[in-house]
Amino acid sequence: MKKIRNFILSAAMLFILAPAFSQIRSYVGIVRQKYFPEHIKYFEKYRDELNDAGYTTYAKYIDDYLAGGFGSGFVYVAPDGTNYIITNRHVVSQAESASIEFEKDNSDETVKYENLKVLLTDDEIDIAILGFSNGEKPFKKGLKFSSTNVSDGQEVWSAGFPGLGADPVWQLGKGTVTNSRAKIKGLLDPSISTLIQHSAQVDSGNSGGPLMIASAKSTAGYEVVGINTWKASWRDSTNFSIPASQIQKMISAVQKKSSVNDVQSLEDRSKKIALSLKDLGNDFTVIVKYISYERASTYGQKDFDSVMHYAPSKVRSTVLDAFSYDPAEGLRYACAYQIWKRFSAESNDGAVYTSGKVHLSGSNASVDLMKESKNADEEKVSVTTTWVKEHGLWRLFELSDEEKFAEKKDSKKKSKDSKSESYFSSPEIDFYNACLITAGGDISLGGNPFNFNIGLDYFGKHSVYAYSICYHRVTAENLNDDVSLNLFSLGLALRIPVKIGTYGLTPYARATVGLGYGSSLSAFGWNAEAGLQAMFNTDEDFHYGFGVSYKVLGLSEFENTETGEKVGSGEFKNKSISIYAILSF
């Protein structure tokens, strides 16, 4: 009897929850941002410039970016009836306005709401609160927040619209909480909040969607315990959500219009960036959140170009990764590195800048950065920073003329000291990768038989000089019978690359020395050549091309490896034209 009763109760519960589950997509929608018209024009111009310069890969990134992405969001209705959409900040980071689209249950129809306003964002915890146009209230109820914290092993659900191809597709996932209080400093400062680590399905496009627990008494059968924001791509089922308590704090701030006044907010932001610059354990990525999009659109191209030419490879990779995902963010990263290089203690032998006086007049805001002097006689340095408000947050826009002058001065010195580096190393279209493999043949100009060769060049930091390993199959006619030797040699190469649109030409020279071995003969050998290589951009990690060169190859008098006796009639020298294929990576 007890088993029957339990079965009936379980069946009844499923009957109650099944229709509720089917309604959840009425409250979780697809969020898209609409860029500012000036923003679109700027990136269209930048894309065309990149295409003209041959940087087709990065131009394509901008095309994909302008086509627009999407994330997820969900409905929350406040006690006073005000409707809000909750999503991640990065989903609407550059939005003039946003839209949200809901799929109707048991129907192919959709309902779309346009012109949502970004009411408040938070860089620290990656949450955005959106409001409906003209205070509209299309929803009488929305998803509710859970009043209890989740625990390890608890069953949770994820909802949202990850993409399959370029299209968002509804997904309701189920998993468990694997760490209810995860401390991941790289995602969120643990002093602000811990994260919920869970295994419910989260994919690209799920950002901004809710993490939920089942609740028969709540709207659509669920309560929200967090907002899905990150996943660890290198681990299975390792996803992270920001707890609902942080969302509720932001909603309260919106309802109060402002949790702090502008002066206090600006003071807090300027102190935080100063502390970030001071901490020797940080790198430049920690100040990206303080960089305004206005600065990125004004100085981003210049800073991006500087990073590509002068920055360490690790910095370049970080900036390029950000650019490939979101070009606007990539430019912010480039701006952040330039400021980091100028002001961080790490980059300035421990020199520390502290936040000074705040100046606020209407929409104009500035903060003084004061350099702490180690010596009493040292002249005090003050740099004025200008800030702008974007989506309710103060972000850094511009540095004072004194700082700009110092940057120009440093730039001139660096240009003088690193002229070859600025000319030769441009990795945006990397025709000139670190490794080149060549394979081809030598057409003799003196009547000797056709020979073939294989080479490997490994270029150093500046992409000008290389270590070379070469193999030549040489057939010599200085004996009664033709003699073939395998010549292995080591040496150096020099190249001077010139980019022309989507291909590049490279004048080069190479010299190697080594040993040649035959069936019973050996000889010392050398090779000297000069020529021209043509490379083609494939928009991949490798490129291909061909080369032609004038080559002189010499061998010493042959020696019999068994008897040690000299064989033949003196040194052998062959002049030839070499034609070969190239693969670089």
Side-chain angles (χ1 to χ4, degrees):
M1 179 65 72
K2 185 176 180 181
K3 290 184 178 180
I4 295 174
R5 184 180 63 190
N6 287 341
F7 174 78
I8 293 172
L9 288 174
S10 299
M13 185 61 71
L14 288 173
F15 178 77
I16 292 170
L17 294 181
F21 285 176
S22 67
Q23 296 171 11
I24 186 63
R25 68 176 70 192
S26 299
Y27 301 96
V28 181
I30 306 162
V31 176
R32 302 179 191 270
Q33 64 178 327
K34 180 181 178 182
Y35 301 127
F36 289 90
E38 298 80 6
H39 189 86
I40 296 172
K41 289 179 182 177
Y42 169 79
F43 275 101
E44 286 178 340
K45 182 174 180 291
Y46 190 22
R47 174 202 59 199
D48 294 342
E49 290 174 0
L50 289 171
N51 267 323
D52 291 342
Y55 304 153
T56 54
T57 301
Y58 301 119
K60 186 179 183 301
Y61 292 152
I62 293 179
D63 267 334
D64 294 341
Y65 165 75
L66 291 176
F70 55 86
S72 302
F74 61 94
V75 179
Y76 172 75
V77 177
D80 64 1
T82 304
N83 285 197
Y84 298 105
I85 297 298
I86 315 299
T87 188
N88 283 141
R89 184 203 68 82
H90 71 260
V91 174
V92 293
S93 59
Q94 298 129 56
E96 178 187 31
S97 63
S99 67
I100 187 164
E101 185 176 357
F102 298 93
E103 293 183 350
K104 285 188 174 181
D105 284 319
N106 304 317
S107 170
D108 293 333
E109 296 181 13
T110 60
V111 179
K112 190 173 185 179
Y113 300 93
E114 303 272 9
N115 300 317
L116 274 67
K117 182 180 179 181
V118 180
L119 300 177
L120 186 65
T121 62
D122 192 312
D123 283 336
E124 301 285 352
I125 56 176
D126 201 355
I127 294 175
I129 311 296
L130 312 183
F132 284 84
S133 177
N134 300 318
E136 294 175 358
K137 301 177 181 178
F139 292 87
K140 292 183 179 180
K141 59 182 180 179
L143 298 183
K144 297 184 180 297
F145 296 111
S146 174
S147 59
T148 60
N149 296 325
V150 294
S151 58
D152 293 351
Q154 186 173 357
E155 189 174 82
V156 287
W157 301 74
S158 63
F161 287 85
L164 285 176
D167 299 318
V169 178
W170 169 255
Q171 176 174 284
L172 182 63
K174 181 181 178 181
T176 58
V177 174
T178 54
N179 186 345
S180 60
R181 296 187 301 277
K183 296 180 180 180
I184 314 294
K185 186 179 179 182
L187 301 180
L188 178 59
D189 186 346
S191 66
I192 297 173
S193 175
T194 57
L195 299 170
I196 302 170
Q197 181 178 318
H198 64 90
S199 61
Q201 292 93 323
V202 169
D203 298 291
S204 294
N206 266 118
S207 290
L211 181 70
M212 307 170 296
I213 57 174
S215 173
K217 297 179 181 180
S218 298
T219 305
Y222 296 97
E223 288 182 347
V224 176
V225 294
I227 181 171
N228 290 313
T229 308
W230 302 283
K231 71 175 296 181
S233 58
W234 62 94
R235 286 179 57 178
D236 291 335
S237 304
T238 306
N239 309 309
F240 298 95
S241 299
I242 300 167
S245 58
Q246 297 299 321
I247 306 172
Q248 291 172 291
K249 287 179 183 179
M250 284 192 64
I251 293 172
S252 296
V254 169
Q255 292 173 329
K256 293 176 182 177
K257 304 300 182 186
S258 176
S259 57
V260 294
N261 61 45
D262 280 340
V263 172
Q264 183 63 53
S265 176
L266 188 54
E267 283 182 352
D268 290 344
R269 295 281 283 177
S270 61
K271 286 178 181 177
K272 285 180 179 179
I273 193 174
L275 287 173
S276 297
L277 291 167
K278 182 179 179 180
D279 190 343
L280 294 174
N282 287 334
D283 65 20
F284 77 99
T285 60
V286 301
I287 66 168
V288 173
K289 58 193 173 190
Y290 301 106
I291 307 301
S292 67
Y293 289 98
E294 187 171 348
R295 178 178 178 85
S297 63
T298 305
Y299 300 105
Q301 283 182 249
K302 175 181 71 67
D303 289 345
F304 184 78
D305 186 64
S306 179
V307 166
M308 293 302 101
H309 285 87
Y310 301 115
S313 58
K314 184 177 179 180
V315 173
R316 289 203 306 267
S317 295
T318 300
V319 173
L320 286 172
D321 285 346
F323 190 90
S324 66
Y325 174 74
D326 182 331
E329 290 298 327
L331 297 186
R332 286 180 84 202
Y333 272 70
C335 290
Y337 176 71
Q338 296 303 322
I339 292 171
W340 179 264
K341 184 176 62 175
R342 174 68 182 163
F343 292 108
S344 72
E346 180 189 60
S347 301
N348 291 279
D349 299 323
V352 173
Y353 285 85
T354 58
S355 177
K357 188 175 181 180
V358 171
H359 308 276
L360 187 63
S361 176
S363 59
N364 298 316
S366 63
V367 181
D368 296 329
L369 280 182
M370 310 296 296
K371 184 177 181 181
E372 294 181 356
S373 301
K374 295 181 179 179
N375 303 317
D377 298 334
E378 188 177 344
E379 185 179 353
K380 291 185 177 181
V381 177
S382 174
V383 176
T384 300
T385 60
T386 305
W387 297 65
V388 295
K389 211 167 192 180
E390 296 176 340
H391 290 170
L393 288 175
W394 288 108
R395 293 194 180 114
L396 182 63
F397 168 55
E398 201 168 35
L399 308 171
S400 68
D401 290 338
E402 289 82 3
E403 192 274 327
K404 290 180 191 174
F405 175 77
E407 278 195 334
K408 289 180 181 178
K409 192 173 180 181
D410 287 349
S411 179
K412 287 180 180 178
K413 181 178 183 299
K414 192 165 192 176
S415 178
K416 184 177 179 181
D417 294 341
S418 308
K419 188 174 181 181
S420 64
E421 181 174 355
S422 66
Y423 180 76
F424 294 123
S425 58
S426 182
E428 299 96 283
I429 251 185
D430 200 356
F431 294 132
Y432 316 113
N433 293 333
C435 291
L436 268 74
I437 296 175
T438 61
D442 302 330
I443 303 172
S444 177
L445 299 178
N448 281 287
F450 179 84
N451 298 310
F452 67 89
N453 62 80
I454 299 173
L456 171 65
D457 295 332
Y458 178 77
F459 286 84
K461 178 181 177 181
H462 302 304
S463 297
V464 176
Y465 301 102
Y467 298 104
S468 293
I469 302 173
C470 294
Y471 165 76
H472 289 85
R473 178 68 173 178
V474 183
T475 302
E477 289 186 326
N478 67 335
L479 299 174
N480 293 330
D481 298 316
D482 291 350
V483 176
S484 294
L485 286 90
N486 299 301
L487 176 63
F488 297 91
S489 58
L490 302 174
L492 297 173
L494 168 69
R495 64 178 178 182
I496 306 175
V498 180
K499 287 199 298 287
I500 303 176
T502 57
Y503 63 93
L505 296 176
T506 306
Y508 83 101
R510 178 163 60 187
T512 62
V513 294
L515 292 172
Y517 294 93
S519 59
S520 61
L521 298 174
S522 65
F524 289 102
W526 57 270
N527 171 70
E529 61 184 291
L532 189 66
Q533 296 175 343
M535 300 295 297
F536 301 92
N537 180 30
T538 63
D539 286 341
E540 302 292 344
D541 293 334
F542 63 89
H543 303 287
Y544 61 88
F546 66 90
V548 60
S549 66
Y550 174 73
K551 179 184 292 186
V552 180
L553 185 146
L555 296 172
S556 67
E557 188 172 8
F558 295 160
E559 182 177 293
N560 189 304
T561 56
E562 296 177 357
T563 64
E565 296 179 354
K566 299 294 183 183
V567 181
S569 55
E571 294 183 357
F572 167 81
K573 184 182 292 184
N574 183 47
K575 298 177 182 179
S576 62
I577 298 296
S578 181
I579 301 174
Y580 53 88
I582 306 170
L583 177 67
S584 70
F585 56 92

